[in-house]
Amino acid sequence: MELKWVSRRSRGGKIQMEKTMKTPSESKPKAPATLQALVPVFISTNPSHVNPDDLSDLFIACNLSCHRFPNYVDAGGGRCVVEAVDLHKLRVALSHSSVLVSVFCKPNDVIGCSSSFLKEKQQQQKKKIVGFGELLQNVVMPVTPLNSQLVGFGRAVSDLGLTASIYDVMVLPSLRGMGIGRMIVKRIIRMLTSRDIYDIAALCSENERSFFKVCGFGDDILGSTAMMYTRSSVSTNPQDNQIVKRAGRKLLLVPPLSKTLPYSKTMKS
Amino acid sequence: MRTLTLVASYPLCPIVSFELCRQASNKLFFPCNISEKLAKASRVHKTYQLKAGFWESIKSGILNNNTTQVVEPPSTLPEEEEEPLPQEFVLIEKTEPDGTVEEIIFSSGGDIDVYDLQALCDKVGWPRRPLSKLAAALKNSYMVATLHSVRKSPGSEGNDQKKLIGMARATSDHAFNATIWDVLVDPGYQGQGLGKALVEKLIRALLQRDIGNISLFADSQVVEFYQNLGFEPDPEGIKGMFWYPKY
């Protein structure tokens, strides 16, 4: 659990100042950047800091779903949003995830970052004057999960022996481009490698690919292909007893129960 | 989510040392004049601690800011959630000319010997992996399906030869996502539909628990095998990426 600073200017060159509260020996003081554009965030790997309701709101804000092929509902005005996550299932998923990383930020900073660029310049001017006061406030009332908003999240499921898969990495749209997503993925990887797991996979869609590439992911060295179960129906005969299960907008066919195989090879002499 | 509002009757110096904050983070400090409402509202639950830091509690009272929240740890799961019920049944039964009966038994109980598995991996030509890691992976997998061959000779009663001939396992978060790893069948028993049976049983068990995102990473020579089972490569542009440590 750490307090970190992210900079608005991290699109080009990232300037970060790290301040760890628990182990002072780990703190790496870098050249202090100008204070205007720095936003304090709190990163945590403690599962109890994740509130499923807040997480569900974050899912909606990022327009993401736990289903790989989500159902889109028309929200009016031509916008398509994902349907909300089932809270009970989310709780189950969280409790069975090996690694949970959450990032928090003060609500003021969330609003400040989402303002337009012009407004930001004015704000920066103002911030120059009150810079010290804000710094003092951040020191005295630091960002903690209790007084701030969940703005970033990521989790990984692992067998704690050989492999792990990363799911649901997300950052509030207004706070993107500041290095928070990278911070989350780096932390997940650190948690996994500290448990000696180096086979870390991530299933990503087209627009997430460049993000994961920057985080150090690439195509499989062994040339494997990622595949997903998408079979919906084998026969067009409606009388066939086919059970299907809904997963987002896909209707997946449950393989029929056949206790014996249709054929058995004759024994070789 | 409950909101804690402490009413402090006297203003406090705003500068509080970090150490005090940290130490207080796990305890709830009650100032002398505490409102009756708070005493009734606070509930001591044996499975979680109230995480309201001393400074936060005073601040919320002074600033009349009701955003201080108590975050509960993930609640204990409802009892109706069960692990997949282990199944065991005979998949194939063959009788040899000399009277020996061979049964191929499917089991999802995860009862597997790590040494047998290591030997099977060698047989199919897979690289060796540390046994402790294998054991941990099996223990923490959502489901491990195995195929054993049991040979019963007519003469020797109770002298059954049990051999591991196939395995498949899946990891999952028990709700949304699952990944199938390590599907293997003894080369001498391949081509009979055993691998297909293993994977189909896994899919069936996963779908029955409403786990809809079933994925796997297939080597190039088995892509077609999984396509026949209903898997689609790179569906809708979803690709798998792996982490590369930069030394």
Side-chain angles (χ1 to χ4, degrees):
Chain A
M1 283 173 271
E2 291 162 32
L3 188 69
K4 288 196 176 205
W5 298 75
V6 288
S7 159
R8 197 83 252 245
R9 285 173 288 144
S10 50
R11 229 181 263 273
K14 207 172 4 174
I15 303 165
Q16 272 189 9
M17 230 163 67
E18 230 177 75
K19 239 166 64 172
T20 47
M21 282 173 70
K22 291 221 159 180
T23 46
S25 55
E26 264 185 40
S27 66
K28 296 175 255 177
K30 297 192 180 162
T34 47
L35 294 170
Q36 298 106 321
L38 289 177
V39 174
V41 294
F42 183 91
I43 183 167
S44 163
T45 52
N46 187 337
S48 61
H49 286 158
V50 181
N51 182 326
D53 297 295
D54 293 342
L55 183 58
S56 174
D57 292 338
L58 184 64
F59 264 102
I60 292 178
C62 300
N63 210 20
L64 285 176
S65 168
C66 279
H67 295 291
R68 269 286 143 189
F69 309 105
N71 247 338
Y72 289 104
V73 290
D74 193 8
R79 280 194 316 139
C80 272
V81 292
V82 288
E83 51 183 1
V85 179
D86 182 330
L87 269 180
H88 170 71
K89 282 187 94 171
L90 187 60
R91 271 181 229 267
V92 173
L94 292 176
S95 65
H96 290 280
S97 296
S98 322
V99 177
L100 285 179
V101 175
S102 40
V103 175
F104 300 87
C105 182
K106 283 211 175 151
N108 294 335
D109 293 322
V110 177
I111 300 165
C113 288
S114 58
S115 58
S116 65
F117 190 62
L118 272 168
K119 255 202 214 169
E120 212 180 276
K121 282 208 160 176
Q122 293 170 356
Q123 274 188 356
Q124 283 182 10
Q125 306 263 337
K126 280 195 219 158
K127 275 190 179 185
K128 252 190 206 165
I129 304 163
V130 300
F132 181 71
E134 265 212 8
L135 177 62
L136 190 66
Q137 190 188 43
N138 285 325
V139 165
V140 166
M141 292 188 291
V143 184
T144 68
L146 300 172
N147 68 354
S148 51
Q149 187 186 340
L150 180 71
V151 298
F153 178 74
R155 66 185 177 101
V157 177
S158 168
D159 56 20
L160 302 175
L162 295 166
T163 60
S165 301
I166 296 184
Y167 299 112
D168 301 332
V169 177
M170 64 187 82
V171 176
L172 210 61
S174 54
L175 289 173
R176 288 184 191 165
M178 295 170 75
I180 297 178
R182 267 191 88 167
M183 205 193 296
I184 293 173
V185 176
K186 262 173 72 177
R187 181 57 57 94
I188 294 176
I189 292 173
R190 196 171 99 183
M191 300 277 295
L192 291 169
T193 52
S194 70
R195 285 148 133 175
D196 211 20
I197 297 167
Y198 292 88
D199 201 357
I200 305 171
L203 277 177
C204 40
S205 50
E206 296 272 5
N207 42 3
E208 293 164 356
R209 214 172 295 172
S210 51
F211 164 70
F212 277 102
K213 204 156 176 202
V214 171
C215 293
F217 283 71
D219 291 331
D220 185 26
I221 200 169
L222 296 168
S224 64
T225 317
M227 301 178 85
M228 288 198 67
Y229 188 71
T230 51
R231 176 170 286 172
S232 44
S233 179
V234 263
S235 85
T236 46
N237 190 348
Q239 286 176 350
D240 273 347
N241 216 7
Q242 287 182 41
I243 309 173
V244 287
K245 284 275 173 172
R246 175 162 289 285
R249 63 170 180 272
K250 294 263 182 193
L251 268 176
L252 300 175
L253 176 73
V254 180
L257 184 71
S258 52
K259 289 221 160 177
T260 51
L261 293 178
Y263 66 95
S264 53
K265 212 160 84 169
T266 49
M267 282 296 295
K268 285 189 232 173
S269 51
Chain B
M1 274 191 294
R2 276 180 301 283
T3 314
L4 272 178
T5 38
L6 269 181
V7 176
S9 66
Y10 49 91
L12 288 174
C13 176
I15 307 296
V16 177
S17 74
F18 264 139
E19 284 305 298
L20 183 64
C21 253
R22 273 205 313 129
Q23 284 162 19
S25 62
N26 284 338
K27 304 178 222 161
L28 183 62
F29 279 76
F30 289 85
C32 308
N33 336 14
I34 188 168
S35 74
E36 289 302 302
K37 226 192 258 183
L38 176 69
K40 281 186 211 152
S42 72
R43 205 178 75 191
V44 179
H45 198 285
K46 60 175 175 167
T47 60
Y48 73 91
Q49 298 165 314
L50 283 170
K51 287 191 164 116
F54 177 55
W55 179 241
E56 269 83 55
S57 54
I58 299 304
K59 182 183 71 136
S60 69
I62 293 175
L63 300 178
N64 210 21
N65 178 10
N66 278 358
T67 56
T68 313
Q69 295 167 352
V70 174
V71 178
E72 280 183 348
S75 51
T76 48
L77 296 165
E79 275 71 26
E80 61 256 24
E81 197 227 298
E82 307 139 18
E83 296 300 316
L85 292 168
Q87 290 180 302
E88 189 165 303
F89 53 82
V90 180
L91 206 60
I92 305 177
E93 194 175 311
K94 298 174 207 164
T95 311
E96 285 176 36
D98 64 353
T100 317
V101 176
E102 184 186 23
E103 288 178 336
I104 306 230
I105 301 178
F106 170 88
S107 165
S108 63
D111 178 26
I112 182 171
D113 183 305
V114 196
Y115 293 100
D116 289 343
L117 180 59
Q118 182 87 289
L120 189 60
C121 291
D122 290 343
K123 260 192 176 178
V124 295
W126 282 5
R128 280 232 164 165
R129 296 170 288 190
L131 281 173
S132 55
K133 284 193 155 197
L134 259 182
L138 289 171
K139 191 173 90 151
N140 295 308
S141 293
Y142 178 73
M143 183 168 163
V144 179
T146 51
L147 286 173
H148 284 95
S149 143
V150 177
R151 303 190 67 157
K152 300 175 188 166
S153 314
S156 49
E157 292 302 328
N159 240 8
D160 297 346
Q161 286 182 333
K162 192 172 180 185
K163 194 171 66 159
L164 176 71
I165 58 161
M167 190 207 69
R169 71 182 178 96
T171 54
S172 169
D173 61 9
H174 297 226
F176 295 109
N177 302 289
T179 310
I180 298 180
W181 307 95
D182 299 341
V183 178
L184 71 163
V185 175
D186 188 310
Y189 290 85
Q190 285 177 9
Q192 295 182 47
L194 291 173
K196 183 173 169 190
L198 275 175
V199 175
E200 277 188 346
K201 291 283 175 288
L202 275 184
I203 296 173
R204 199 186 153 80
L206 290 167
L207 284 176
Q208 287 192 322
R209 293 296 306 280
D210 271 325
I211 298 171
N213 297 336
I214 303 173
S215 54
L216 51 86
F217 300 97
D219 289 334
S220 41
Q221 63 265 34
V222 288
V223 171
E224 207 181 310
F225 167 73
Y226 288 108
Q227 274 180 311
N228 289 336
L229 286 170
F231 285 85
E232 200 183 310
D234 300 337
E236 296 186 18
I238 294 175
K239 265 200 178 316
M241 298 181 85
F242 286 83
W243 181 63
Y244 289 100
K246 295 185 181 71
Y247 293 114

